[in-house]
Amino acid sequence: MGSGWKILARNPFKRRKPTGLDALIGVREMEDFFKLTNDSSWLLAAEGYDSVREGIYESRFSISNGFLGIRAGRVISRGERWDIPSRAYVAGLFDIPGPEDPIPVLIPGPGWQRIRAILASGPLVYHPAEATSHNMTLDMRRGFLITGCRVVDDPTIAVRARALGMVSLNERAIGLQLVELEVEHGEIEVTLEASIEGLGLGLKLEHLEQDLGVWRTKYSGKRLAIAALSSFQVDGAEVEPITPMPSSLVSAWRWKSRPGQIVRFVRLIAVARADTDDLAPELMVREKLRIAKQVGWRKVLEQHEAAWSERWHSSNFEIAGDPDAEKALRFAAFHLNSAANPTDERVSIGARGLTGDDYHGHVFWDTEIYLLPFYTFTWPQAARSLLMYRFRTIDGARAKAARMGYRGAMFAWESADTGAETTPEQVVGPDGQIVDILCGKQEQHITADVAYAVWQYWQATADVEFLLEGGAEILLETGRFWSSRAQAESDGFCHIRGIIGPDEYHEHVDDNAYTNVMARWNIRRALETVALLRERWPDQWARLSSSLGLSDAEIAAWRTVAETMATGLDPQTGLFEQFKGFFDLQEIDLAAYAGRSVPMDVVLGRERMQRSKVVKQADVVALYGLLPEEFPGDSGRVNFRYYEPRCGHGSSLSATMHGVVAARLGETDLALRYFRDTVAIDLADNHATILGGLHMASLGGTWLVAILGFAGLSLKNDGIAFAPKLPPTWKRLGFAISWQGRRIRIGIDGTKQLLSARLEAGEAMPLLVNSQCQEIRCDQEALFQLA
């Protein structure tokens, strides 16, 4: 498009006095913001229109900021007969469909980017396929989605259109839309209609006026407000809107087109969610919009770009030798940075973030195991907020534990906004049959997974305020749960029976190794927390132990449970039995099913799967990925060699843990294959599962394989360590991490077999690389020879 975009001097339209939004239109050309980052490694692009893959692109090119999310859409909306409201989301906006379906779902929010061009004969576009030259580009460096197309209604009119959309990373209540149209030919009357759509999906209207609406969810009592401010210009002259419809969120402008004409539309929106009646979301959005109007939309964009620049300084990757891997890691980091909101401790990140409807916005173990490491090591403020969500919902976890006859806190397998269990009891399986879902009752390892993330954050940040405010209570209450859940039996061991491990192909199992070892680890960290509080903060310990009713006798009983927990480890072979009786199950040669297009449970059927050694996803392998210290000697490799060929990878989570473990074991070719499998889940066009949104755990998993796997990052009691094992094609890997108030810049040169480390912020600290330890400081670069 380039030089074809220009401002014409002729002004046939009546002007009105510029408003705060409009006054800046001539200060800096809109063209500046449409210019893409000139480094293609920061750009993700799609050309043309493909009805089969349209939903894939809507997910992949989504933009969000942890509060607002928008699925990607076309520049000009289509005519009514093809119109489907584009999905937009507001974090935490949960409600139940009705009393007979009490599972909370994330309600679609206002779709505020809809515009239509209307001629006398009807909409200019009836179906997306009618437009030509479709293009969509995600500028990851700047956090913008830019779309374009050419629309022709021969012989009446031809128009080139482009749009920029963003939700502010600086002020999360604010969204912005820029649209520019260039008329190629045609002199006819055109109407541009801008509306806010999709608000009938689960919301009841409370109040509506021009450019402001307030709605309420029917059952949860949450309120939502949205306010909008628009500006419309033709050839640099502002055009008054047509008399607006009363009590409507629709605005329209009419003008006479002519060749070479430039039409520009700017819309700012503000959104607020109120969870209680004492909050007034309508006042919040008016104030947010007032401030945005005062600074002008260009400043809003610049502040957003500055916020992204800050995020990239802490989370960017540089990979020499593998540009596809570099772009994939940036894509993952872009959506991970987009998914978190460090200012709201009442929400977490669902399985699909704010990019799609699948899993109803529910939060799983994915967040703590696959996402939290990224935030803990690159954005501790966001990690803290996500963990405080678990603390804010701990009463729901306590209620679940009590309901099932246990003590302490038992976190929900699927969680929404209250911490109550939201797992559906039945779903339709891949074979079309009704399937009972037992995860909400039996997949209990999530409780230890939450504790794992809390402890990892504490080790990495030394955030005393967090530990005393909520972290310690989570560790104590989860340790208490496992101590009541594991039961001592006549063989002298404590057993955990009737559960589901990460391998969900096998239900009602006893002593799942992942669950039992993680539970023992959880109890030991709870005991360590007790000792830490007693020693360093005795007053806080006295208050907390009193409020929880913790006695010395109960704490001593925890230690007994931990010491006698059954784990399934054979000390002779070093092999963990995944659960009691696993070794007696039927062998299935998965190589005979290579190239299948459906999961193994569909191929074999559920009953045969229960009798087989086919594993759905990393289970014992995941345990090694999280707790390698629990695998003495070479038993980590022994277990990987046993379980890796028996895994059917029926979950999008599976490739990640296999990649991390393979990399740590030095099997870099295999690890790279798993890395690429993880990446492909959201970036390969034949993965239709992203129709319902991006897989946030796979995005986090991309980071895990690169940093915990290839770079070999691990936490020690007194610092951090690296044991790099780069793939041969990765000539260099560069990244930054945070540790206890410090930011460290790491460079791993695979050709020279050298690791460089420089402290960018914070006090000097020791760094361990393989067997070498050096102090790193801000004033010099430390070098470590790797071979």
Side-chain angles (χ1 to χ4, degrees):
M1 301 176 195
S3 60
W5 295 88
K6 55 184 178 180
I7 298 292
L8 300 183
R10 184 170 175 266
N11 177 12
F13 298 95
K14 179 181 178 181
R15 295 180 181 271
R16 64 179 170 86
K17 185 176 179 180
T19 66
L21 177 64
D22 308 322
L24 293 177
I25 287 181
V27 174
R28 179 181 170 193
E29 288 300 321
M30 189 181 287
E31 175 72 29
D32 292 348
F33 294 101
F34 278 105
K35 290 178 181 176
L36 296 169
T37 298
N38 57 16
D39 181 351
S40 63
S41 67
W42 289 95
L43 305 177
L44 191 72
E47 297 285 340
Y49 173 77
D50 183 343
S51 60
V52 174
R53 293 176 172 81
E54 184 74 358
I56 292 175
Y57 298 145
E58 288 179 2
S59 296
R60 186 175 297 152
F61 290 82
S62 294
I63 53 176
S64 59
N65 62 14
F67 176 61
L68 301 177
I70 316 166
R71 284 172 66 84
R74 300 293 172 177
V75 180
I76 301 177
S77 299
R78 43 206 184 267
E80 294 299 336
R81 65 190 178 95
W82 295 100
D83 214 4
I84 300 173
S86 60
R87 279 291 199 252
Y89 303 95
V90 178
L93 191 64
F94 286 100
D95 201 12
I96 62 172
E100 295 182 359
D101 186 9
I103 300 297
V105 300
L106 189 66
I107 301 249
W112 50 269
Q113 289 196 305
R114 185 173 188 261
I115 66 168
R116 293 197 306 158
I118 304 171
L119 312 179
S121 58
L124 177 59
V125 179
Y126 271 93
H127 189 278
E130 295 175 349
T132 61
S133 305
H134 280 292
N135 60 80
M136 187 179 293
T137 303
L138 187 64
D139 190 328
M140 296 182 286
R141 185 167 212 157
R142 301 164 69 213
F144 295 156
L145 174 64
I146 297 176
T147 57
C149 70
R150 182 173 181 267
V151 184
V152 179
D153 185 20
D154 281 332
T156 311
I157 192 171
V159 175
R160 286 192 178 274
R162 59 179 178 174
L164 181 151
M166 75 90 178
V167 286
S168 175
L169 202 67
N170 177 67
E171 174 48 76
R172 287 176 170 79
I174 297 295
L176 177 65
Q177 178 185 30
L178 308 180
V179 179
E180 190 166 78
L181 310 177
E182 180 186 14
V183 180
E184 292 184 346
H185 72 255
E187 297 188 10
I188 62 171
E189 189 173 83
V190 184
T191 300
L192 187 86
E193 180 185 275
S195 61
I196 294 175
E197 62 180 351
L199 284 163
L201 302 174
L203 293 168
K204 297 174 63 178
L205 181 65
E206 274 196 351
H207 176 76
L208 186 64
E209 59 187 77
Q210 186 63 27
D211 296 331
L212 173 68
V214 183
W215 296 264
R216 179 185 291 272
T217 58
K218 186 173 183 180
Y219 296 99
S220 63
K222 297 176 185 287
R223 300 173 72 223
L224 178 75
I226 179 168
L229 180 64
S230 304
S231 173
F232 185 85
Q233 290 186 351
V234 178
D235 289 344
E238 188 170 340
V239 178
E240 295 277 3
I242 301 170
T243 303
M245 298 170 59
S247 299
S248 167
L249 284 173
V250 180
S251 298
W253 297 263
R254 187 172 293 130
W255 79 100
K256 181 71 175 293
S257 70
R258 62 179 180 78
Q261 194 174 65
I262 301 295
V263 177
R264 288 173 169 167
F265 170 74
V266 180
R267 171 160 50 183
L268 274 167
I269 61 102
V271 180
R273 182 197 84 234
D275 296 339
T276 56
D277 285 337
D278 59 324
L279 300 174
E282 63 275 16
L283 299 181
M284 299 179 200
V285 294
R286 287 191 188 280
E287 177 62 14
K288 296 292 186 184
L289 203 58
R290 182 193 67 78
I291 296 171
K293 175 181 176 180
Q294 185 176 26
V295 302
W297 64 265
R298 284 172 174 78
K299 189 67 174 178
V300 169
L301 281 174
E302 290 168 355
Q303 291 172 342
H304 169 74
E305 288 184 272
W308 267 109
S309 179
E310 181 180 345
R311 289 300 323 123
W312 284 123
H313 186 66
S314 299
S315 58
N316 184 28
F317 295 88
E318 295 175 349
I319 299 177
D322 194 339
D324 290 340
E326 182 179 69
K327 181 175 285 191
L329 278 162
R330 285 177 178 169
F331 175 79
F334 172 79
H335 283 293
L336 292 169
N337 282 322
S338 299
N341 180 2
T343 66
D344 190 350
E345 296 177 353
R346 298 288 176 179
V347 301
S348 186
I349 300 173
R352 301 301 178 99
L354 297 176
T355 71
D357 290 333
D358 279 6
Y359 298 106
H360 309 304
H362 293 177
V363 181
F364 293 75
W365 72 308
D366 309 22
T367 305
E368 280 72 33
I369 298 302
Y370 293 86
L371 304 186
L372 254 299
F374 170 83
Y375 299 112
T376 294
F377 289 109
T378 70
W379 197 2
Q381 298 89 342
R384 186 187 199 279
S385 179
L386 293 169
L387 292 170
M388 286 302 294
Y389 159 82
R390 291 298 191 181
F391 179 68
R392 302 294 179 204
T393 58
I394 197 170
D395 284 344
R398 289 188 177 109
K400 180 180 178 181
R403 188 170 63 251
M404 295 189 69
Y406 307 118
R407 304 191 69 190
M410 177 186 183
F411 282 98
W413 179 245
E414 296 185 33
S415 176
D417 53 346
T418 66
E421 182 60 70
T422 60
T423 304
E425 294 186 359
Q426 292 183 322
V427 298
V428 178
D431 57 357
Q433 301 297 309
I434 301 297
V435 178
D436 291 331
I437 300 299
L438 302 177
C439 300
K441 297 182 179 69
Q442 295 186 13
E443 198 153 0
Q444 300 168 9
H445 63 80
I446 187 171
T447 298
D449 301 330
V450 171
Y452 181 90
V454 168
W455 190 259
Q456 184 182 67
Y457 175 82
W458 162 244
Q459 279 190 302
T461 64
D463 185 345
V464 173
E465 181 181 356
F466 164 76
L467 183 71
L468 298 181
E469 183 180 354
E473 189 165 339
I474 292 175
L475 291 165
L476 295 173
E477 285 289 76
T478 53
R480 170 182 262 176
F481 163 73
W482 289 117
S483 296
S484 69
R485 179 66 178 88
Q487 295 296 307
E489 297 185 12
S490 58
D491 62 357
F493 290 97
C494 286
H495 298 272
I496 302 177
R497 301 192 181 277
I499 58 170
I500 300 172
D503 169 22
E504 294 162 339
Y505 286 161
H506 296 92
E507 302 167 334
H508 306 289
V509 304
D510 296 335
D511 291 332
N512 168 253
Y514 178 95
T515 302
N516 286 31
V517 176
M518 287 288 286
R520 180 177 67 181
W521 178 93
N522 191 165
I523 295 169
R524 287 172 172 169
R525 298 296 80 73
L527 291 168
E528 196 169 338
T529 301
V530 170
L532 185 67
L533 293 175
R534 280 174 167 165
E535 178 183 352
R536 294 181 58 182
W537 303 286
D539 291 343
Q540 286 89 339
W541 163 248
R543 287 194 293 269
L544 183 57
S545 60
S546 175
S547 67
L548 297 180
L550 276 176
S551 66
D552 290 344
E554 181 181 356
I555 294 169
W558 293 2
R559 185 170 288 104
T560 300
V561 173
E563 290 172 351
T564 58
M565 183 74 75
T567 65
L569 174 65
D570 183 341
Q572 300 301 317
T573 64
L575 197 62
F576 279 95
E577 187 172 27
Q578 184 176 292
F579 55 80
K580 184 67 173 176
F582 181 87
F583 290 154
D584 298 326
L585 299 177
Q586 179 188 3
E587 289 283 5
I588 300 289
D589 182 10
L590 289 177
Y593 299 91
R596 68 187 184 277
S597 59
V598 294
M600 282 301 297
D601 59 329
V602 177
V603 175
L604 298 181
R606 296 187 76 223
E607 290 187 8
R608 189 178 176 195
M609 286 298 298
Q610 293 270 349
R611 300 193 302 270
S612 79
K613 289 184 180 179
V614 178
V615 178
K616 179 178 180 179
Q617 62 177 309
D619 195 302
V620 173
V621 171
L623 179 62
Y624 180 59
L626 299 181
L627 300 176
E629 65 273 16
E630 298 284 353
F631 290 72
D634 199 39
S635 64
R637 188 179 303 276
V638 170
N639 281 273
F640 185 70
R641 279 276 154 260
Y642 184 85
Y643 285 104
E644 191 266 343
R646 291 172 171 80
C647 185
H649 301 293
S651 165
S652 60
L653 307 180
S654 188
T656 290
M657 279 299 178
H658 282 84
V660 169
V661 171
R664 286 179 177 170
L665 293 174
E667 299 186 27
T668 54
D669 289 342
L670 181 59
L672 187 59
R673 193 194 84 194
Y674 279 122
F675 173 83
R676 289 171 177 161
D677 288 346
T678 301
V679 166
I681 290 169
D682 290 307
L683 282 175
D685 283 351
N686 60 344
H687 276 259
T689 55
I690 75 165
L691 289 169
L694 296 174
H695 300 74
M696 301 309 299
S698 296
L699 298 171
T702 304
W703 187 91
L704 291 178
V705 178
I707 305 304
L708 302 191
F710 294 134
L713 170 66
S714 63
L715 278 172
K716 304 299 181 184
N717 289 334
D718 57 350
I720 56 176
F722 290 94
K725 296 179 179 68
L726 295 190
T729 53
W730 290 24
K731 305 306 180 186
R732 186 181 186 279
L733 172 62
F735 58 94
I737 61 165
S738 296
W739 182 78
Q740 296 194 2
R742 303 162 174 88
R743 185 171 60 246
I744 309 145
R745 185 71 53 184
I746 300 293
I748 304 172
D749 191 319
T751 303
K752 298 180 180 179
Q753 287 294 293
L754 200 67
L755 182 145
S756 62
R758 181 184 293 276
L759 201 60
E760 292 186 340
E763 298 178 355
M765 59 171 282
L767 184 68
L768 183 67
V769 178
N770 293 337
S771 59
Q772 310 164 63
C773 186
Q774 290 189 48
E775 184 178 74
I776 60 172
R777 305 191 300 268
C778 288
D779 58 350
Q780 69 180 51
E781 185 176 61
L783 299 177
F784 298 82
Q785 196 67 45
L786 301 178

